[in-house]
Amino acid sequence: MTDTQPVLELNHVAFHFIKRKGYFSKQKYWAITDVSFVLNKGECLGIIGRNGAGKTTLLQLLSGIIRPDKGDFVNHGYTTTLLSLQAGFIPYLTGRENTMLNGLYLGIRKSVIKSKLNDIQEFSELGDFFDQPISSYSSGMRARLGFSIAFQLDPDVLLIDEVLGVGDESFRAKSTHKMKEKILSNQTVVIVSHSQSTLRELCNRVVWIENGTTRAEGDTVSVLTAYTSFLKENQPIQPK
Amino acid sequence: MTLHYIHLILYKSWADLRSEARRYYISYLWWIIEPILEMMVYYVVFGVLLKNKVPHFIPFLLIGLTSWKWFIATVRHEGNSILNSRSLIQQVNLPKAVFPLIVVCTDTFKFLIVFLIILIFLWISHFPVSAAYFTLPLLLITQLALIIALGFFFAAIIPFVPDMDILVDNTLRFVFFLSGVFFDPRTLSPEKQFWFFLNPMAFLINGYRSILMEGQFHDYQRLLIILAASLAGILIANRIIRHFDKIYPRVVAQ
């Protein structure tokens, strides 16, 4: 893995939300204060950190949904997509109709979705339910449909927030396996995860985010080792 | 706006219409019955109880109400469209003008159904098709442009100040009574008429009636001014929406 063609770059990036307090007063809440890293072509970069460290906001920045308030975000001309399962699903529409809609939202061309409808139906294992309104689906069925559509995505950079596989045990195994296959092919990926085993298996490099700042960056094993020992030292105080 | 987003807008509009229809037993019929019920209410109050003196009051009222309803429903839906898509815009990167344009499509489609029914009603009530009908498309396009322009402005601002929605609602209700839906503004004194017809909706409603009931239309100059101003408004409002494209996901997250 010596390919170092940069795809996305973050330089001392900071981002804040606005919290409303009272009638006209507002307060800035800094979700990210200082994060820098470079994503190279073909690599899988892991992001680890505790809850509220700013990982999800980071993915929104990388996908171009939001822009940083400080620092630079450079996209060297690549398409990035956040793997959003079930985005914009409408309950009264059938699985097939929601597939079209969700695919269009995710940026898949209409003709491409149409040509893949059968694959999606098959992969989701929904059978005849594919043509039923999704209000009649169980949550597991919806998750399967959402995953099957998102799996057809083919952006230059895939941004994944935790979810690798969904559904019951067998579908989860199948979907996780497929997603790992996709990641390990030459796909460029940024993945946020709490699962160290997942990151070890898939990522070349890991960035550790703590309180909105890059705490460490480097090869997977050393960053994860440092993170683990940090967690042991900073365990939340147990109630007596 | 690339072809992809046009596909998205059209598909989502179709999906919304379909989803709305599936929710009810008589589904699509509501698009006809609901406006008729509403018109009956206004007819009973203003035509029967208040004994309106306008000749041919029913067609007069139908035309005014239908055109107004297209305007008010669409503008209000547009205004809330970006705010209402809050979960979606935090997950996918879309040009935000997509959202008001979707409601423009669905509301305009519903309007056209009712409008067609009114045309048929007029034809059976001895208001025949005339040469003035050639102006009708221009009038419809002008109103469409006006609707998009105003709605875009509200859609751009309301995510920052959701309270605006209440103000907009009340202001437009006031404008409703100043648009000549229930009375003929041409009975006002010329001086009052001058001010009255500065309201573009009053002008357009009066225009529909002239074409459909009297078979004539004269004031092309003012019509084209409204059209040009609306088109300029769309361009400006669209610029504002694009300017805040990356800000909306943060603002609606509050």
Side-chain angles (χ1 to χ4, degrees):
Chain A
M1 292 287 166
T2 48
D3 192 354
T4 52
Q5 192 181 337
V7 176
L8 305 176
E9 284 180 50
L10 292 174
N11 288 313
H12 301 291
V13 159
F15 180 86
H16 68 77
F17 285 102
I18 297 160
K19 272 186 182 168
R20 246 191 233 136
K21 305 188 79 186
Y23 278 115
F24 290 102
S25 59
K26 288 176 178 175
Q27 195 184 35
K28 284 180 183 176
Y29 163 72
W30 291 90
I32 293 177
T33 43
D34 185 2
V35 171
S36 309
F37 62 79
V38 179
L39 177 71
N40 294 315
K41 197 164 189 185
E43 78 170 338
C44 175
L45 181 75
I47 293 177
I48 199 157
R50 296 189 289 177
N51 284 329
K55 305 186 296 289
T56 302
T57 310
L58 201 56
L59 285 189
Q60 287 185 328
L61 276 169
L62 293 174
S63 69
I65 292 175
I66 50 178
R67 242 197 316 253
D69 295 302
K70 292 181 191 164
D72 296 319
F73 165 59
V74 186
N75 181 335
H76 293 273
Y78 295 88
T79 58
T80 58
T81 304
L82 189 61
L83 190 75
S84 327
L85 305 182
Q86 307 183 39
F89 269 16
I90 300 180
Y92 291 93
L93 296 184
T94 65
R96 188 182 300 274
E97 290 158 355
N98 271 301
T99 301
M100 289 295 298
L101 192 58
N102 182 257
L104 288 168
Y105 278 139
L106 293 174
I108 312 176
R109 286 217 318 278
K110 195 178 174 184
S111 54
V112 175
I113 314 170
K114 272 192 172 158
S115 70
K116 290 195 169 162
L117 278 172
N118 286 335
D119 294 347
I120 292 171
Q121 180 175 15
E122 197 175 321
F123 191 89
S124 64
E125 299 171 12
L126 284 169
D128 292 338
F129 268 101
F130 196 56
D131 287 306
Q132 294 293 321
I134 63 163
S135 51
S136 65
Y137 288 18
S138 66
S139 58
M141 289 162 78
R142 278 188 207 207
R144 261 150 53 193
L145 179 63
F147 182 91
S148 309
I149 305 164
F151 187 71
Q152 302 294 333
L153 276 172
D154 203 12
D156 298 330
V157 183
L158 190 58
L159 307 167
I160 302 176
D161 197 349
E162 290 291 351
V163 194
L164 278 180
V166 298
D168 59 20
E169 210 168 316
S170 75
F171 193 84
R172 183 179 296 267
K174 165 175 137 180
S175 50
T176 309
H177 174 73
K178 279 282 180 187
M179 192 48 91
K180 284 179 178 170
E181 232 176 54
K182 191 177 178 104
I183 292 170
L184 293 172
S185 70
N186 212 24
Q187 176 81 50
T188 312
V189 179
V190 177
I191 177 167
V192 161
S193 182
H194 284 291
S195 159
Q196 297 205 16
S197 64
T198 304
L199 294 180
R200 280 212 171 85
E201 185 182 351
L202 298 173
C203 298
N204 322 92
R205 281 194 306 139
V206 169
V207 174
W208 166 18
I209 309 282
E210 184 67 31
N211 277 332
T213 340
T214 317
R215 179 78 178 238
E217 186 208 327
D219 70 281
T220 309
V221 176
S222 58
V223 174
L224 289 183
T225 313
Y227 179 67
T228 311
S229 56
F230 171 83
L231 283 188
K232 275 181 192 155
E233 287 163 25
N234 292 276
Q235 264 175 358
I237 301 155
Q238 299 290 327
K240 285 179 183 170
Chain B
M1 189 117 323
T2 64
L3 190 65
H4 177 77
Y5 294 122
I6 295 172
H7 279 153
L8 173 59
I9 291 167
L10 292 178
Y11 195 84
K12 177 65 168 42
S13 313
W14 176 86
D16 280 344
L17 288 169
R18 205 171 162 81
S19 148
E20 194 183 314
R22 283 210 187 125
R23 218 169 300 174
Y24 306 107
Y25 282 111
I26 57 168
S27 65
Y28 301 106
L29 278 180
W30 275 123
W31 299 340
I32 300 165
I33 295 173
E34 201 241 292
I36 291 176
L37 286 177
E38 191 184 332
M39 287 173 198
M40 275 167 61
V41 171
Y42 284 108
Y43 175 70
V44 169
V45 175
F46 290 93
V48 180
L49 296 178
L50 296 177
K51 293 198 181 67
N52 202 302
K53 294 287 192 307
V54 177
H56 306 296
F57 185 63
I58 295 182
F60 179 90
L61 181 72
L62 290 184
I63 294 168
L65 268 180
T66 308
S67 144
W68 174 262
K69 212 186 161 199
W70 178 31
F71 172 77
I72 183 86
T74 318
V75 167
R76 292 212 57 208
H77 291 155
E78 279 179 272
N80 289 312
S81 60
I82 294 179
L83 192 59
N84 286 345
S85 314
R86 66 164 66 77
S87 79
L88 197 59
I89 63 177
Q90 291 179 75
Q91 298 176 70
V92 288
N93 194 2
L94 290 172
K96 309 301 175 278
V98 159
F99 300 105
L101 285 174
I102 289 168
V103 297
V104 167
C105 288
T106 53
D107 284 338
T108 301
F109 178 77
K110 287 188 204 167
F111 159 75
L112 287 174
I113 294 176
V114 181
F115 191 66
L116 193 69
I117 293 170
I118 289 181
L119 286 184
I120 295 169
F121 170 79
L122 286 169
W123 298 333
I124 359 180
S125 326
H126 309 292
F127 293 100
V129 179
S130 66
Y133 267 58
F134 281 112
T135 314
L136 204 50
L138 188 61
L139 215 62
L140 290 166
I141 287 169
T142 305
Q143 186 176 345
L144 181 65
L146 178 70
I147 286 172
I148 297 176
L150 263 183
F152 266 33
F153 273 108
F154 295 140
I157 300 165
I158 287 178
F160 294 99
V161 198
D163 317 52
M164 271 280 293
D165 181 42
I166 301 169
L167 271 181
V168 168
D169 186 28
N170 282 288
T171 313
L172 289 180
R173 198 172 305 160
F174 180 59
V175 177
F176 173 51
F177 290 102
L178 291 180
S179 294
V181 174
F182 306 114
F183 58 92
D184 190 346
R186 286 171 300 183
T187 56
L188 297 170
S189 69
E191 194 194 334
K192 277 186 188 158
Q193 276 193 44
F194 171 79
W195 293 105
F196 195 86
F197 282 122
L198 286 182
N199 168 7
M201 274 313 291
F203 175 81
L204 290 171
I205 288 174
N206 189 51
Y208 287 116
R209 286 174 182 150
S210 304
I211 294 174
L212 298 174
M213 296 172 69
E214 293 155 19
Q216 53 181 338
F217 186 84
H218 302 296
D219 201 349
Y220 286 98
Q221 193 190 353
R222 188 176 290 225
L223 184 62
L224 291 175
I225 290 174
I226 297 175
L227 178 59
S230 301
L231 292 176
I234 294 174
L235 289 179
I236 295 168
N238 187 44
R239 278 300 268 286
I240 299 175
I241 293 177
R242 275 171 57 184
H243 179 76
F244 290 122
D245 191 67
K246 310 291 177 199
I247 305 293
Y248 291 123
R250 161 176 18 207
V251 172
V252 300
Q254 287 171 358

